[in-house]
Amino acid sequence: MARVLYLGGLGRSGTTLVERLLGELPSVCALGEIVHLWQRDIRDDERCGCGARFSACTFWKRVGQVAFGGWTNVDVDRVHALRDVVERTRHIPRLAGANLPDAQRADVREYAGYYAKVYAAAAEVSGAAVVVDSSKHSALAHVLRWADDVDLRVVHVVRDARGVAYSWTKTVSRPETDGSDEMTRYSPGRSALLWNAHNAAFGLLSRRGVPVRRIRYEQFLTDPRAALRELADYAGVPAGDDDLAFLGDGYADLGVGHSAAGNPMRFTVGRLPMRRDDAWMRSLPSGQRRLVGAVCAPMLRAYGYPLNPAEVSQEA
């Protein structure tokens, strides 16, 4: 049974940075967003975090061989069909229930089984005690809850909804497509609704007995060393001073990783500056700030975020 640290939350909340730092710890293997593995990597042969095409990456070749006897043996159409049936936000109320109808349970466990095989194979190939999946999707986390062969521990990464909304308005290219594609963009109103829905879904997951540790991205950046110690302990792989030597004052020295999909930061090797990005307070139009703040106000308060941007600035 693979021990999986699943990073959840809405995109643009800082999960890629958290994943990269976790991946530097001994006995931890960061896999990227496995939810996209089936299409972007197996079918589209996009680039691994190491820079090589997925089909040419030695690490992922070995994982595919151990998990399925080779990636050519994976029926991607079947995986997509199962995803459409079970892994959708609208299915979360049923997935979060105490029981599932037999037919639905069979589909859920078959779909989760593909992920379980990847996790177990990655742990075997890397020799890691813990693998990190930064897929973020709340519905997938609820699916994995039903897997018999996954030791699931969730890290719920939260970032101020207004910062998330501003980030979703930016144009960001996807290097793995050699500049031919860009990351999805959302309007502030759309991202505010998604922020509420995804974060609420992780709160529901914790009430179903799944271990969930919530971290605020802004707080994580104020003391990443202490935050990583806590996450490592939560994952069951305590980190000592030597294990955290890659962290400096305001930066991290990163090695080559094998993230299968995710934010372009997964390609970063070498010194990565780490600082809070509060550009939204200056660059997100005031009307949009107020809209997102109003839509997300109850949960912003619950997570300890001031509703007044001036107070956020003072907190920083």
Side-chain angles (χ1 to χ4, degrees), residues 39-41 44-48 51-54 172-184 260-264 266-267:
Q39 181 64 44
R40 295 182 183 177
D41 296 304
D44 296 342
D45 200 24
E46 293 185 357
R47 295 189 185 279
C48 168
R53 291 287 179 186
F54 180 79
V172 180
S173 64
R174 296 181 60 230
E176 57 267 52
T177 64
D178 296 330
S180 64
D181 199 5
E182 295 178 347
M183 297 183 73
T184 303
N263 185 288
R266 67 195 180 92
F267 294 105

Side-chain angles (χ1 to χ4, degrees), residues 89 92 96 137-139 141-142 156 194-207 212 299 303:
T89 303
I92 288 177
H137 292 196
S138 51
H142 279 271
H156 178 199
L194 291 172
W195 189 89
N196 278 340
H198 283 277
N199 288 320
F202 281 102
L204 184 60
L205 189 69
S206 67
R207 289 196 285 275
V212 177
M299 293 183 69
Y303 295 151

Side-chain angles (χ1 to χ4, degrees), residues 289-306:
R289 284 203 310 269
R290 288 194 295 270
L291 170 65
V292 176
V295 171
C296 301
M299 293 183 69
L300 283 169
R301 290 193 190 96
Y303 295 151
Y305 288 106

Side-chain angles (χ1 to χ4, degrees), residues 155-229:
V155 178
H156 178 199
V157 184
V158 175
R159 183 184 177 191
D160 192 307
R162 293 156 293 191
V164 173
Y166 175 62
S167 185
W168 277 114
T169 66
K170 296 179 181 179
T171 299
V172 180
S173 64
R174 296 181 60 230
E176 57 267 52
T177 64
D178 296 330
S180 64
D181 199 5
E182 295 178 347
M183 297 183 73
T184 303
R185 298 172 65 191
Y186 291 132
S187 70
R190 173 68 170 161
S191 70
L193 293 173
L194 291 172
W195 189 89
N196 278 340
H198 283 277
N199 288 320
F202 281 102
L204 184 60
L205 189 69
S206 67
R207 289 196 285 275
R208 285 303 178 195
V210 176
V212 177
R213 177 71 59 90
R214 182 185 301 132
I215 62 172
R216 282 173 48 181
Y217 178 64
E218 297 85 354
Q219 210 165 32
F220 180 90
L221 282 176
T222 62
D223 192 351
R225 185 178 295 269
L228 272 182
R229 282 187 195 277

Side-chain angles (χ1 to χ4, degrees), residues 25 57 65 77 91 116 132 138 152 164 170 188 195 236 255 281 284 293:
L25 298 176
C57 174
Q65 191 63 39
D77 289 334
H91 299 317
V132 180
S138 51
L152 180 66
V164 173
K170 296 179 181 179
W195 189 89
M281 289 189 284
L284 187 65

Side-chain angles (χ1 to χ4, degrees), residues 5-19:
L5 202 62
Y6 186 93
L7 303 188
L10 183 61
R12 311 296 179 91
S13 294
T15 51
T16 302
L17 176 61
V18 176
E19 178 205 6

